[in-house]
Amino acid sequence: VQLQASGGGLVQAGGSLRVSCAASGRTFSRSAVAWFRQAPGKEREFVAAITRSAGTPFYADSVKGRFAISRDNTKNTVSLQMNNLKPEDTAVYYCAADWRIILSQQRRPDAYDYWGQGTQVTVSS
């Protein structure tokens, strides 16, 4: 699976952005997909994940109610709609996928073998 993230940018606090992850490879529809983010000087942290079949979403507490993850297996894409953005959301956002992920692993970046290149999201105050 090869992943390509896009859609980052600069937005004011309270605004919205949508980042997307386009995938190639036949295993994508059978893969759990997650978004992680990494701010300068900080560790990569879990943002959201979506399961392979039912498409059940999971979120970090810090983004719950503001972000929404979705997938379209016909287009091999996963999107993250980010609303009511805050300056602390500023980071490079990465998508990750792996068909071997089980629920207990999905928040761990080391559980994913396939990563996109990252897209910068900057929220100004």
Side-chain angles (χ1 to χ4, degrees), residues 29-118:
S29 63
R30 294 185 281 118
S31 299
V33 181
W35 286 95
F36 293 83
R37 65 187 181 188
Q38 189 165 18
K42 295 188 176 181
E43 293 188 351
R44 193 166 296 190
E45 66 171 355
F46 171 79
V47 176
I50 190 163
T51 59
R52 57 180 65 85
S53 55
T56 303
F58 296 88
Y59 300 99
D61 288 344
S62 59
V63 306
K64 202 172 292 183
R66 301 188 297 122
F67 290 14
I69 188 171
S70 61
R71 70 186 300 161
D72 184 343
N73 287 337
T74 65
K75 297 181 180 178
N76 273 12
T77 58
V78 170
S79 296
L80 183 69
Q81 177 67 40
M82 304 182 289
N83 299 323
N84 191 20
L85 282 159
K86 303 176 180 180
E88 51 264 43
D89 295 318
T90 295
V92 178
Y93 283 69
Y94 298 90
C95 58
D98 205 302
W99 63 272
R100 296 161 294 185
I101 293 291
I102 59 176
L103 278 177
S104 62
Q105 298 172 320
Q106 64 185 356
R107 296 171 186 256
R108 291 171 37 196
D110 63 345
Y112 295 82
D113 277 350
Y114 304 98
W115 289 84
Q117 84 287 5

